[in-house]
Amino acid sequence: MTSPLARPPVGPVATQLRDAWYVVARSSDLRGAPIERTVAGQRLALFRGPKTVHAVAAQCPHRGANLAEGSVIDGCVRCPYHGWSFDGSGRCVHIPSNPADL
């Protein structure tokens, strides 16, 4: 039987809470290319959009490439593998092989 006062396991992830604010980079770190950080066990790609800084899942849903190794084009992070572009909410906004009117 566990005591209700027992402490949870302590470790790098156990001490981080989800849905909280964390300092993960300096503003000067986000001048050009995206960067990767891990918060609460989740890999994130950080990049600067036209008005603010964004954090999205670092893994591209298409082929799993690291978005932090991509580039920032028109305020979106572009995957280094096939060039898919994701906005600050993580929504795919451009797939190069699709016609523009889709």
Side-chain angles (χ1 to χ4, degrees):
M1 181 164 150
T2 355
S3 163
L5 300 176
R7 292 185 162 191
V10 176
V13 176
T15 59
Q16 294 179 341
L17 304 174
R18 293 194 176 272
D19 298 325
W21 289 91
Y22 293 96
V23 176
V24 294
R26 293 182 184 96
S27 180
S28 60
D29 294 338
L30 298 166
R31 295 283 183 222
I35 62 173
E36 182 179 353
R37 295 291 189 266
T38 301
V39 178
Q42 182 177 359
R43 291 175 42 228
L44 301 172
L46 308 175
F47 67 98
R48 183 179 298 282
K51 296 181 181 179
T52 188
V53 172
H54 303 285
V56 297
Q59 185 175 1
C60 178
H62 178 232
R63 294 286 185 182
N66 186 350
L67 293 177
E69 294 176 3
S71 56
V72 178
I73 309 283
D74 296 328
C76 295
V77 64
R78 183 172 289 176
C79 177
Y81 192 61
H82 280 131
W84 288 27
S85 293
F86 300 87
D87 67 11
S89 71
R91 184 176 64 98
C92 183
V93 294
H94 178 71
I95 299 173
S97 61
N98 283 355
D101 60 345
L102 281 182

